[in-house]
Amino acid sequence: MIFRLSDFHFPDDAARLYPDTPERPWVLEVGFGDGRFWPHHAASLPEAPNYLGVELSGVSLLKAERRLRAAGLTNAVLTKLPATVLVREVVPQGALDAIIVNFPDPWPKAGHTEHRLLRAPFFRLAASRLKSGGAVLLTTDHDEYFEFARAEAEASGVMAVERTDAPPAALETKYARKWRDLGLSAHHARFTPTAHPHVPHGAVTRSPENEENPTVPHAVLTLPQTFDPQDFAKHTARGGQTRETAPEGEGAGWTVVLLDLYRGLGREGWVFLAHVVEGELTQEVLIGVTGREDGTHLVRLARFGGPIITPGVKAAVGTVTGWLEGQGAVVRHRGY
Ligand SMILES: C[S@@+](CC[C@H](N)C(=O)[O-])C[C@H]1O[C@@H](n2cnc3c(N)ncnc32)[C@H](O)[C@@H]1O
């Protein structure tokens, strides 16, 4: 089943995601590509563990979902997200039996290693989300990335590393076959936590489920008579902790870009389109400005698109409010 970020709880739990098989082991695969690993691997086990798959490519997501459905693997949840966002926000502490990474993008160019997944912060995050006895399993053809990952695991201070044979299914993925056809062999390592550090979930909360939900970021203000939406121009705001100053595993600060302002068709009012970037997580959200009976206006995050309420999304409502203040609005109440 395909989940959007807004379909998850933060954190979620296996009993909710896999109601028919809550007691089974729970395995995460990062970057599953066209999804060949899991059907092969599950077929080698007496019963299929609960599967969580995360991938950045939407085309791969659809291919993999078809493949898993055709294999009858119903206890599987697939999502299109950056892996660290899913692991940090959705996976509870100490919940996973394994994190499987087959042929991760190697980012081979000098200066690009910061894009690699298997760096020390990820190993610490993984150690916090794995059960005791759980492990990160890496298979790669890339000699340099393999050594890099081993050094990063050691630098994390919470992982022991052991070279082992790859699970046979990891040698049947699309990339495994591609590299084998070129005569390259694969390395495999098992990273086992030696400690389970506490890496907190971020400040993500549920999406606004109903219009009256008081946790939906909002503000009430009085617009000046002279307010003219034609004065709007693209506007950028930044805040929160920067990547350098953020404690391990915590928010990387936010950037809000107010891209456009539209007149609402149904009710009197306007809608702002905002682009919100927080580390690897990006969201496009709509923020409505609607008239109220007492003559004031309500600025509020819209439900459209299933936004996730993060510090950056709250800041987007604050940025709209701030821009309107700059146009002469007087704020009566802030709820963000
Ligand atoms: C080289 S491909 C390998 C695909 C598959 N595992 C295989 O062996 O055929 C790497 C995959 O990882 C995905 N990916 C890269 N970075 C990711 C991230 N941060 N989170 C989730 N998926 C990611 C890419 O979209 C790509 O599909």
Side-chain angles (χ1 to χ4, degrees), residues 29-34 54-57 60 81-84 102-107 117 170 173-176 280:
E29 184 182 3
V30 175
F32 51 70
D34 68 3
V54 64
E55 172 55 64
L56 284 178
S57 152
S60 297
L81 278 176
T84 48
N102 294 324
F103 301 91
D105 290 332
W107 293 98
L117 176 74
T173 70
K174 180 172 163 190
Y175 275 79
E280 294 188 64

Side-chain angles (χ1 to χ4, degrees), residues 1 7-8 12 23 28 32 36 47 56 94 113 127 160 163 170 191 235 257 280-281 285 297 326-327:
M1 194 188 314
D7 293 325
F8 288 108
D12 219 315
E23 74 298 339
L28 166 70
F32 51 70
R36 280 173 216 228
E47 61 180 13
L56 284 178
T113 54
R163 276 194 85 131
F191 301 94
H235 176 78
V257 186
E280 294 188 64
L281 179 64
V285 298
H297 279 77
Q327 304 301 303

Side-chain angles (χ1 to χ4, degrees), residues 185-203:
S185 58
H187 304 282
H188 182 74
R190 181 184 176 88
F191 301 94
T192 314
T194 52
H196 295 274
H198 179 76
V199 180
H201 302 280

Side-chain angles (χ1 to χ4, degrees), residues 266-325:
R267 288 190 271 176
E268 192 247 322
W270 300 271
V271 178
F272 285 83
L273 171 62
H275 180 72
V276 183
V277 182
E278 293 165 272
E280 294 188 64
L281 179 64
T282 59
Q283 298 190 74
E284 254 79 51
V285 298
L286 296 178
I287 296 159
V289 181
T290 46
R292 304 188 340 149
E293 277 181 5
D294 64 2
T296 60
H297 279 77
L298 176 66
V299 178
R300 184 162 56 184
L301 177 68
R303 298 169 68 191
F304 180 80
I308 300 299
I309 301 174
T310 57
V313 167
K314 290 181 188 170
V317 175
T319 304
V320 166
T321 306
W323 184 81
L324 291 169
E325 279 184 286

